[in-house]
């Protein structure tokens, strides 16, 4: 059966069935992702990578995913070494890379860049993050991590913590969790609350999330703490930043005895104490690995259906 | 001694010979409609009524413009701020066309995305595109950045 989506731009384009199909394919590809089995499913195919913004995990996991399926990768990881520095616009660069590749992955600092590119090229386009907008492949790997570790998504209780205003991963994730009937709590300082447009959309779909600034309110009832980084540059006053940062820091003392896991899209700074890394609570490195089978499933679905 | 009531002088708004009457404009939005139509200019004769009684709407605005018929793009823009408006085209004192404004489900090229970080606010060759997700009050969503655009952000552009 061919996958119904041509592009992966926004989680809003997905039905629950589309998501389930990707998660199911990913599970079948885990052995290949771990190099325990080999696959030739994308032999002769080339993935074009257009990274206008720095990325470590997303870029490397896409490259790994493509190569594990025996495909090739071209593109740029920074704009300094490309024709972008000569002033070429995004439309022209994308049309050119699309002539060389069977699918494009784009990360850009402007919102809507991936949708724009998908409207003007013929090959499938995958959004690897557009400004403060969407990051749908991160969301798919987050869902996969919950399903893999906790055995289900439906019925879970998930707290999204930290910078909910600018953190694009939590925007995409909240839409998807809403589709699965997950009970959500948004935990953030007032300055970094979930944007009203997103809360509005969730309410339209009858999804209601609890909003609070106190992390202690949710600790006893959640299955997942999804932590995001609070960036210093969001606060003009360094004292204010220190105070807020401390109020959302996860350490062993805080979660001891609780029945939950801690996830993080990474990179993390000090919002999670290092001591948590080595406990059964900290699942973020496992989560980062799951980016590979999930992106393999996405690449296979798009390139083979195209 | 009974006071004699002054009979108010009736103010007559002459019917127009040729032109357009935009009726049932959302109350207090007539000036926004004028801005969409680039009025006043140096020659157009325009009559405006603001906040007058309306049987159906409570109160409404009316704009009459002589010797001008509207482009469809102008009508589409008016629909964004006055979705109940009706447009009457007058030729030789007769209404030759009467129509209710229709707010389309998709709006192309008529307004800018208020998100400064949207790809449409760059030099890329791109035409703005919005989906109408609610008609009253009008709420739009940018096709590109998915930002919600609310009524006040739409009005501030006209």
């Amino acid at each position: 059966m061919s996958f119904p989506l041509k592009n992966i731009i926004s989680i809003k384009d997905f039905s629950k069935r589309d998501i389930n199909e990707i998660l199911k394919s990913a599970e079948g590809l885990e052995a290949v992702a771990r190099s325990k089995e080999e696959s030739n499913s994308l032999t002769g195919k080339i993935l074009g990578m257009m990274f206008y913004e720095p990325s470590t995990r997303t870029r490397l996991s896409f490259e790994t995913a493509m190569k594990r399926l025996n495909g090739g990768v071209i593109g740029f990881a920074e704009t300094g070494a490309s024709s972008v520095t000569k002033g070429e616009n995004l439309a022209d660069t994308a049309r050119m890379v699309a002539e060389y590749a069977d699918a494009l992955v784009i990360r850009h600092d402007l919102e809507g860049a991936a949708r724009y590119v998908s409207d003007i090229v013929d090959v499938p386009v995958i959004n690897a993050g557009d400004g403060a907008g969407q990051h749908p492949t991160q969301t798919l790997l987050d869902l996969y991590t919950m399903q893999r570790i906790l055995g289900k998504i439906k019925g879970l209780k998930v707290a999204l913590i930290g910078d909910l205003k600018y953190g694009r991963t939590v925007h995409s994730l909240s839409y998807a969790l809403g589709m699965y009937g997950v009970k959500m709590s948004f935990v953030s300082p007032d300055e970094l609350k979930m944007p009203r447009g997103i809360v509005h959309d969730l309410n339209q779909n009858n999804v209601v999330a609890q909003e609070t600034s106190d992390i202690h309110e949710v600790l006893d009832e959640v299955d997942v703490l999804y932590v995001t980084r609070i960036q210093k540059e969001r606060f003009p006053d360094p004292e204010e930043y220190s105070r807020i940062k401390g109020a959302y820091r996860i350490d062993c003392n805080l979660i001891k005895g609780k029945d939950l896991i801690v996830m993080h899209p990474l990179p993390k700074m000090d919002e999670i104490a290092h001591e948590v890394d080595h406990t059964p609570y900290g699942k973020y490195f496992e989560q980062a690995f799951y980016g590979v089978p999930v992106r393999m499933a996405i690449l296979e679905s798009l390139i083979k259906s195209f | 001694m009974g006071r004699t009531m002054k009979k108010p002088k009736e103010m007559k708004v002459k019917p127009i010979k040729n032109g357009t009457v935009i009726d049932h404009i959302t109350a207090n939005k007539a000036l926004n409609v004028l801005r969409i139509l680039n009025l006043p200019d140096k020659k157009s004769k325009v009559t405006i009524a603001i906040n007058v009684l309306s049987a159906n709407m409570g109160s409404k605005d009316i704009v009459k413009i002589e010797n001008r018929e509207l482009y469809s793009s102008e009508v589409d823009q008016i629909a964004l701020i006055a979705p109940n408006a009706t447009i009457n085209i007058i030729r030789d004192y007769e209404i030759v066309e009467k129509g209710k404004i229709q707010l389309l489900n998709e709006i192309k090229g008529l307004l800018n995305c208020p998100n400064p970080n949207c790809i449409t606010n760059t030099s890329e060759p791109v035409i703005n595109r919005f989906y109408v997700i609610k008609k009253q009050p009008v709420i739009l969503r940018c096709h590109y950045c998915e930002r919600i655009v609310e009524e006040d952000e739409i009005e501030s552009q006209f």
Side-chain angles (χ1 to χ4, degrees):
Chain A
M1 202 182 81
S2 84
F3 189 64
L5 297 179
K6 186 194 162 211
N7 306 297
I8 307 261
I9 306 297
S10 163
I11 204 73
K12 284 196 209 120
D13 303 337
F14 281 79
S15 68
K16 203 168 138 186
R17 194 175 161 175
D18 301 332
I19 295 178
N20 287 338
E21 201 176 320
I22 294 287
L23 302 188
K24 197 174 154 214
S25 310
E27 199 154 354
L29 289 163
E30 246 189 59
V32 182
R34 291 202 191 270
S35 197
K36 287 179 182 156
E37 285 174 23
E38 286 187 6
S39 167
N40 294 315
S41 79
L42 294 181
T43 303
K45 301 292 183 187
I46 290 175
L47 181 64
M49 310 269 282
M50 301 170 63
F51 276 72
Y52 288 81
E53 245 193 3
S55 159
T56 311
R57 254 157 309 282
T58 305
R59 187 172 57 81
L60 292 181
S61 69
F62 264 114
E63 280 197 36
T64 307
M66 194 63 189
K67 288 176 177 172
R68 291 277 191 221
L69 297 169
N70 207 29
V73 176
I74 59 164
F76 52 88
E78 49 169 332
T79 52
S82 72
S83 55
V84 177
T85 44
K86 297 178 187 161
E88 185 174 57
N89 70 19
L90 174 59
D92 288 3
T93 310
R95 281 194 189 99
M96 183 266 301
V97 182
E99 292 294 324
Y100 304 154
D102 298 284
L104 300 185
V105 176
I106 175 168
R107 167 168 292 193
H108 203 282
D109 54 343
L110 293 174
E111 286 118 54
R115 179 80 68 195
Y116 172 57
V117 167
S118 75
D119 285 348
I120 54 179
V121 301
D122 290 330
V123 299
V125 175
I126 301 167
N127 184 5
D130 58 336
Q134 293 270 330
H135 193 357
T137 65
Q138 176 72 42
T139 298
L140 293 168
L141 81 88
D142 292 341
L143 295 173
Y144 184 73
T145 304
M146 291 177 200
Q147 177 151 302
R148 241 354 226 93
I149 295 174
L150 301 168
K152 61 174 184 180
I153 302 169
K154 193 180 173 185
L156 288 179
K157 290 172 185 159
V158 178
L160 306 179
I161 297 165
D163 180 356
L164 307 185
K165 186 174 182 184
Y166 301 98
R168 64 185 162 205
T169 61
V170 288
H171 300 166
S172 292
L173 183 57
S174 61
Y175 283 116
L177 292 175
M179 286 159 84
Y180 283 85
V182 167
K183 198 179 162 204
M184 279 179 276
S185 305
F186 298 156
V187 186
S188 69
D190 280 344
E191 298 87 334
L192 298 175
K193 278 171 80 168
M194 192 64 93
R196 62 192 173 137
I198 290 177
V199 175
H200 172 272
D201 278 358
L202 291 172
N203 292 345
Q204 291 289 104
N205 295 321
N206 299 317
V207 179
V208 182
Q210 174 200 0
E211 288 189 87
T212 174
S213 57
D214 184 359
I215 193 168
H216 294 92
E217 273 183 33
V218 303
L219 281 177
D220 282 327
E221 52 186 54
V222 298
D223 303 298
V224 179
L225 290 181
Y226 191 97
V227 185
T228 60
R229 182 156 55 105
I230 294 178
Q231 292 176 3
K232 198 175 178 178
E233 55 268 31
R234 307 289 181 214
F235 292 88
D237 178 0
E239 250 180 64
E240 182 74 359
Y241 167 69
S242 297
R243 184 185 65 76
I244 281 175
K245 193 180 68 168
Y248 296 91
R249 182 176 156 86
I250 311 291
D251 58 22
C252 284
N253 199 23
L254 186 77
I255 54 178
K256 199 173 161 189
K258 312 281 184 203
D259 187 17
L260 53 79
I261 62 167
V262 180
M263 291 174 60
H264 193 298
L266 303 179
K268 66 181 173 65
M269 304 295 280
D270 47 9
E271 59 275 19
I272 300 177
H274 289 303
E275 59 188 23
V276 180
D277 297 358
H278 311 291
T279 68
Y281 295 109
K283 297 295 185 193
Y284 22 89
F285 297 117
E286 193 172 339
Q287 180 187 357
F289 163 72
Y290 289 138
V292 177
V294 166
R295 290 183 172 115
M296 287 166 76
I298 291 166
L299 291 171
E300 258 195 7
S301 301
L302 294 192
I303 295 175
K304 283 182 155 182
S305 302
F306 177 57
Chain B
M1 288 287 282
R3 226 185 263 173
T4 46
M5 287 272 284
K6 263 189 185 172
K7 195 181 167 201
K9 275 183 193 165
E10 211 173 312
M11 200 176 75
K12 285 195 176 149
V13 179
K14 266 195 346 192
I16 58 174
K17 186 181 180 197
N18 291 303
T20 304
V21 176
I22 310 169
D23 199 356
H24 304 108
I25 299 169
T26 313
N28 299 311
K29 302 290 182 210
L31 297 181
N32 299 78
V33 170
L34 292 189
R35 268 194 288 275
I36 289 172
L37 301 175
N38 287 318
L39 293 170
D41 57 19
K42 280 182 179 157
K43 56 185 193 314
S44 302
K45 289 182 186 155
V46 181
T47 314
I48 307 161
I50 293 179
N51 245 331
V52 295
L53 278 181
S54 157
N56 298 330
M57 302 169 66
S59 55
K60 65 175 182 179
D61 289 6
I62 307 170
V63 171
K64 294 184 182 190
I65 315 144
E66 287 185 47
N67 298 318
R68 170 144 172 203
E69 292 181 12
L70 307 185
Y71 294 107
S72 64
S73 63
E74 292 171 329
V75 176
D76 291 343
Q77 282 176 302
I78 292 170
L80 284 172
I81 56 159
N84 292 316
T86 48
I87 306 233
N88 303 307
I89 296 171
I90 318 285
R91 287 183 199 141
D92 207 16
Y93 298 107
E94 297 285 331
I95 297 178
V96 292
E97 239 183 279
K98 185 171 181 142
K100 202 174 176 312
I101 273 185
Q102 285 282 344
L103 182 57
L104 305 170
N105 293 325
E106 200 182 318
I107 312 263
K108 272 188 179 176
L110 297 177
L111 71 166
N112 297 321
C113 182
N115 172 8
N117 213 32
C118 177
I119 188 74
T120 58
N121 288 317
T122 61
S123 56
E124 293 289 332
V126 56
I127 295 169
N128 278 292
R129 207 167 138 193
F130 298 89
Y131 300 108
V132 177
I133 57 170
K134 202 169 162 209
K135 292 199 173 178
Q136 263 184 357
V138 180
I139 299 180
L140 311 176
R141 183 194 301 285
C142 174
H143 165 71
Y144 295 99
C145 72
E146 301 187 354
R147 161 90 135 72
I148 297 272
V149 189
E150 292 185 276
E151 211 179 15
D152 54 330
E153 292 169 316
I154 298 169
E155 269 170 32
S156 67
Q157 297 198 27
F158 301 117

